[in-house]
């Protein structure tokens, strides 16, 4: 009884469908897809059929290259027919050659090929194809061979490449395309980055979109899947950059228990800056402000500099390293480069606080081509330099302004006051001694004169005991 009723119901609905004019909008809105139940019945030798409930729509199921050709023919789907929407389900085709049925695709507005096993897609769509939605989701596609195979899709506005194994996204005309590339876990991030560069692209399923990062990002040795929003940051990093500067992703920070995040490198070299730029974009790890006219380092203590590790400010007008003292930067930095500045005095107490041990054995400080005013205190700098040679690659270029010498080879004692004072006293002593000697000679001569004229010795010679010499003299 139940069986009969359901068959009747089925019959009734079927006749209702055939009686009513099919409603296209229920079959395809911006894209077209049919469930497995819409497939031709197994009893049907033809693998494709037109839908009765939809105008101009057809479905092909469980096909291979050969049965697809057959199915298109037996369902009368050709360039001359009115089929606008086609869904091919569960196609098992190693190389899906788009060129083969070009004439059929030419008539389509919606083309959907899903849930199959297609290793790669070769050939190309015909010129002036009208397809506006192309859905190639869930096919295990490894690559789309021809880079330009989708370029002739002038009217493409939806492209679904999700749930495949793509390593590249083919070139498309991207005036206004919505793209789904979620769940392609072999897609290199560098490639995704290129995609952002193309004009108007809208990504959907962003939260399921990851990309594979390897050597395409600096520093990064192992591989990881990056969430889409991080890659998006890569793209937007330039937008949030400091005026007139270039921002790039420097490296990926993989801290345990956190999503991978990028660290930013900011390049402001040669941009006529007079002060250090503030604020820096979030997570700035590297700043290059070489070849500007920056005079001071005081902005280094700005909060936006807190993640900075690499700082290059060569060829500026910086006069002092004093503002580095106590800055977060000096505790954490990796590279500090201040070559060719106006530093005359290097405060060693600032440098003394730099740790070079253990965690910081990569640290580099460059101070070359500054014209150091050398004096007695330069000995502290010399000692510091000599003890840190491996961290100061340009130590041979740290030279004095006032004498022609490398600081590391300088004899600072030549400038020191204390040895000079000592020679000064020696002179006094020598002068005193000479005077004493002259006095003695004069006295002895006088005594002799007195003795020869008067016959007696004046004091004190007269009171002195006789010495053996005196006997000889007499
Ligand atoms: C897919 O098609 C093949 C034949 O090409 C068939 O053997 C298989 O059962 C189909 N898979 C599904 C899920 O329908
Ligand atoms: C195929 O479609 C064409 C054009 O719509 C039509 O003229 C022809 O009769 C159809 N043939 C079959 C076998 O359905
Ligand atoms: C695709 O098909 C076209 C036409 O049949 C053929 O010329 C071309 O060589 C095929 N391409 C590949 C890569 O098999
Ligand atoms: C593409 O087809 C799949 C079904 O296989 C569907 O889930 C997905 O929504 C379709 N994509 C679009 C953009 O309609
Ligand atoms: C293709 O797009 C253009 C402009 O976007 C439109 O005028 C034209 O009608 C579209 N063609 C088809 C077949 O939809
Ligand atoms: C991702 O795609 C694979 C096939 O390539 C599929 O088996 C898997 O279920 C998909 N995962 C998600 C989360 O959609
Ligand atoms: C996905 O692609 C990678 C690289 O192209 C390949 O090594 C891997 O075997 C592919 N996986 C599947 C399931 O095809
Ligand atoms: C882009 O496409 C969307 C959806 O297809 C549409 O709503 C929007 O108006 C289009 N924008 C332009 C500028 O063509
Ligand atoms: C992105 O576009 C800019 C100019 O618009 C170009 O300089 C840059 O090389 C492009 N990047 C990629 C990865 O294509
Ligand atoms: C995607 O992720 C963002 C941030 O993680 C979250 O705010 C948003 O709700 C997510 N969207 C969906 C559709 O899950
Ligand atoms: C950026 O460059 C432009 C043109 O060279 C200049 O007018 C502007 O002042 C610069 N902005 C900054 C912040 O240096
Ligand atoms: C910047 O410094 C250079 C020399 O270092 C000088 O020639 C130039 O005039 C300076 N620019 C300005 C705007 O002061």
């Amino acid at each position: 009884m139940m069986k009969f009723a359901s068959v009747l119901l089925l019959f009734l609905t079927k006749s209702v469908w055939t009686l009513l004019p099919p409603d296209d909008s229920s079959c395809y809105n911006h894209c077209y897809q049919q469930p497995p139940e819409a497939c031709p019945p197994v009893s049907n030798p033809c693998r494709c059929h037109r839908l009765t409930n939809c105008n101009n729509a057809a479905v092909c199921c469980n096909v291979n290259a050969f049965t697809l050709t057959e199915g298109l023919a037996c369902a009368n789907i050709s360039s001359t027919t009115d089929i606008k929407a086609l869904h091919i389900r569960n196609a098992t085709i190693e190389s899906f050659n788009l060129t083969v049925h070009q004439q059929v695709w030419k008539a389509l507005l919606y083309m959907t090929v899903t849930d199959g096993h297609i290793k790669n897609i070769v050939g190309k769509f015909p010129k002036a194809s009208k397809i506006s939605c192309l859905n190639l989701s869930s096919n295990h596609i490894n690559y789309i061979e021809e880079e330009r195979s989708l370029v002739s899709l002038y009217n493409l506005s939806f492209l679904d490449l999700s749930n495949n194994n793509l390593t590249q996204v083919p070139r498309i005309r991207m005036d206004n395309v919505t793209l789904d590339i979620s769940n392609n876990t072999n897609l290199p991030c560098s490639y995704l980055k290129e995609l952002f560069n193309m004009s108007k692209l809208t990504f959907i399923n962003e939260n399921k979109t990851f990309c594979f990062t390897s050597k395409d990002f600096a520093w990064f040795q192992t591989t990881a899947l990056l969430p889409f929003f991080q890659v998006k940051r890569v793209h937007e990093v330039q937008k949030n950059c400091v005026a007139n500067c270039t921002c790039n992703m420097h490296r990926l920070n993989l801290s345990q228990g956190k999503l991978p995040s990028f660290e930013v490198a900011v390049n402001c070299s040669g941009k006529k800056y007079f002060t250090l730029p503030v604020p820096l974009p979030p997570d700035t790890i590297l700043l290059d402000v070489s070849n500007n006219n920056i005079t001071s380092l005081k902005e280094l203590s700005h909060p936006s500099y807190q993640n900075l590790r690499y700082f290059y400010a060569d060829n500026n007008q910086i006069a002092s390293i004093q503002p580095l003292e106590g800055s977060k930067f000096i505790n954490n930095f990796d590279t500090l480069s201040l070559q060719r500045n106006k530093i005359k005095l290097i405060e060693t107490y600032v440098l003394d606080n730099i740790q070079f041990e253990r965690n910081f054995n990569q640290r580099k400080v460059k101070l070359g081509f500054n014209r150091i005013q050398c004096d007695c205190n330069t000995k502290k700098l010399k000692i510091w330099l000599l003890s840190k040679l491996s961290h100061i690659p340009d130590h041979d270029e740290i030279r004095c302004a006032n004498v022609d010498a490398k600081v590391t080879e300088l004899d600072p004692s030549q400038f020191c006051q204390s040895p000079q004072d000592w020679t000064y006293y020696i002179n006094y002593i020598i002068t005193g001694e000479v005077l004493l000697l002259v006095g003695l000679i004069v006295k002895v001569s006088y005594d002799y004169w007195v003795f020869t004229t008067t016959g007696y010795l004046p004091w004190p010679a007269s009171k002195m005991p006789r010495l053996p010499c005196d006997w000889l003299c007499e």
Side-chain angles (χ1 to χ4, degrees):
M1 186 65 194
M2 278 294 283
K3 210 167 183 182
F4 177 74
S6 61
V7 166
L8 187 69
L9 199 70
L10 198 74
F11 177 76
L12 279 174
T13 36
K14 213 165 179 171
S15 44
V16 165
W17 273 120
T18 39
L19 284 174
L20 287 173
D23 177 11
D24 283 356
S25 65
S26 68
C27 300
Y28 33 86
N29 181 6
H30 49 261
C31 284
Y32 164 74
Q33 77 225 19
Q34 290 294 322
E37 302 78 58
C39 284
V42 195
S43 55
N44 189 343
C46 192
R47 300 284 174 97
C48 303
H49 74 163
R50 291 152 169 264
L51 295 185
T52 48
N53 56 334
C54 288
N55 263 343
N56 315 330
V59 178
C60 301
C61 296
N62 311 336
V63 292
N64 57 35
F66 181 69
T67 51
L68 175 63
T69 307
E70 251 182 13
L72 292 171
C74 59
N76 196 9
I77 301 166
S78 73
S79 56
T80 54
T81 52
D82 51 354
I83 294 297
K84 287 196 251 166
L86 176 64
H87 189 168
I88 302 171
R89 293 191 64 95
N90 184 23
T92 308
I93 302 175
E94 177 137 339
S95 252
F96 193 100
N97 190 339
L98 292 169
T99 314
V100 174
H101 297 293
Q102 263 193 357
Q103 292 314 307
V104 178
W105 317 147
K106 194 166 186 166
L108 296 179
L109 296 180
Y110 311 101
M111 180 167 173
T112 305
V113 182
T114 66
D115 306 282
H117 287 84
I118 299 173
K119 220 178 211 156
N120 52 61
I121 294 202
V122 299
K124 47 179 110 175
F125 280 102
K127 290 205 174 64
S129 165
K130 292 177 277 187
I131 292 172
S132 70
C133 174
L134 178 63
N135 188 347
L136 298 175
S137 174
S138 307
N139 281 307
H140 305 93
I141 303 171
N142 282 321
Y143 62 94
I144 297 181
E145 191 184 70
E146 189 120 6
E147 205 206 352
R148 303 183 61 81
S149 52
L150 307 186
V151 169
S152 51
L153 302 179
Y154 288 91
N155 276 38
L156 191 66
S157 58
F158 286 91
L159 178 59
D160 190 339
L161 298 171
S162 62
N163 308 325
N164 283 301
N165 189 22
L166 286 170
T167 48
Q168 271 204 3
V169 177
R171 201 182 285 260
I172 43 176
R173 262 171 208 281
M174 278 186 270
D175 282 333
N176 188 12
V177 175
T178 303
L179 178 63
D180 187 345
I181 47 166
S182 60
N183 194 17
N184 278 279
T185 49
N186 276 302
L187 201 60
C189 291
S190 55
Y191 190 77
L192 206 57
K193 207 172 135 188
E194 268 173 48
L195 273 186
F196 287 114
N197 228 10
M198 303 177 185
S199 50
K200 292 176 220 146
L201 255 190
T202 313
F203 287 86
I204 53 171
N205 274 331
E206 292 188 6
N207 285 13
K208 290 190 214 151
T209 305
F210 287 82
C211 66
F212 175 81
T213 176
S214 56
K215 292 172 196 91
D216 48 349
F217 288 112
W219 279 32
F220 201 58
Q221 297 308 315
T222 49
T223 56
L225 279 182
L226 272 192
F228 180 84
F229 70 89
Q230 281 293 344
V231 186
K232 208 168 181 174
R233 269 195 65 204
V234 176
H235 179 62
E236 285 169 357
V237 68
Q238 187 54 42
K239 271 194 236 162
N240 304 325
C241 199
V242 184
N244 296 351
C245 298
T246 336
C247 285
N248 276 302
M249 288 306 175
H250 184 69
R251 68 171 189 192
L252 191 60
N253 186 2
L254 283 187
S255 305
Q256 213 133 52
K258 281 202 321 196
L259 277 171
S261 71
F262 279 110
E263 292 172 326
V264 180
V266 180
N267 185 348
C268 300
S269 65
K271 299 291 179 206
K272 303 197 167 99
Y273 271 94
F274 290 93
T275 54
L276 288 176
V278 270
L280 294 178
D283 300 319
T284 297
I285 188 167
L286 182 152
L287 175 64
D288 185 349
V289 288
S290 300
N291 307 318
N292 284 286
N293 286 23
I294 290 163
T295 53
S296 162
L297 293 176
K298 66 173 189 289
E299 288 83 3
L300 264 180
S301 47
H302 189 272
S304 67
Y305 280 71
Q306 64 175 333
N307 294 317
L308 199 65
R309 300 283 181 281
Y310 304 85
F311 180 62
Y312 304 89
D314 300 339
N315 201 17
N316 278 288
Q317 317 283 328
I318 297 161
S320 172
I321 61 162
Q322 209 276 327
L324 291 173
E325 203 201 359
S327 65
K328 195 159 184 193
F329 173 76
I330 208 72
N331 290 328
N332 298 327
F333 80 98
D334 222 286
T335 302
L336 166 65
S337 189
L338 294 170
Q339 292 189 327
R340 297 174 204 279
N341 273 286
K342 295 273 181 287
I343 302 171
K344 289 200 174 78
L345 174 67
I346 297 179
E347 288 93 344
T348 38
Y349 65 87
V350 177
L351 303 175
D352 281 342
N353 289 332
I354 303 177
Q355 305 286 312
F356 286 101
E357 293 77 33
R358 293 190 297 275
N359 306 342
F360 301 111
N361 53 19
Q362 297 298 316
R363 278 194 162 165
K364 293 278 181 287
V365 179
K366 293 189 186 178
L367 294 165
F369 306 101
N370 282 289
R371 310 278 289 145
I372 308 296
Q373 193 65 40
C374 289
D375 57 25
C376 187
N377 285 322
T378 311
K379 65 173 180 262
K380 287 189 202 158
L381 178 61
K382 180 182 173 182
I383 292 166
W384 185 80
L385 288 176
L386 290 175
S387 65
K388 304 289 187 299
L389 286 182
S390 62
H391 296 282
I392 303 149
D394 63 348
H395 54 81
D396 275 350
E397 310 301 342
I398 306 178
R399 304 180 68 94
C400 300
N402 42 342
V403 289
D404 183 23
K406 299 174 187 173
V407 169
T408 49
E409 291 173 0
L410 182 75
D411 176 12
S413 63
Q414 62 176 291
F415 298 102
C416 292
Q417 286 296 313
S418 43
Q420 267 178 358
D421 288 351
W422 192 67
T423 44
Y424 188 68
Y425 288 125
I426 279 280
N427 288 342
Y428 274 117
I429 292 165
I430 291 171
T431 316
E433 277 170 355
V434 167
L435 288 177
L436 214 64
L437 190 66
V438 169
L440 205 65
I441 291 168
V442 169
K443 170 75 171 137
V444 167
S445 312
Y446 171 76
D447 284 2
Y448 181 72
W449 177 74
V450 170
F451 182 70
T452 47
T453 48
T454 64
Y456 71 92
L457 274 173
W459 185 89
S462 57
K463 303 280 179 245
M464 279 171 66
R466 284 182 162 246
L467 294 173
C469 157
D470 295 338
W471 295 99
L472 282 173
C473 294
E474 274 166 33

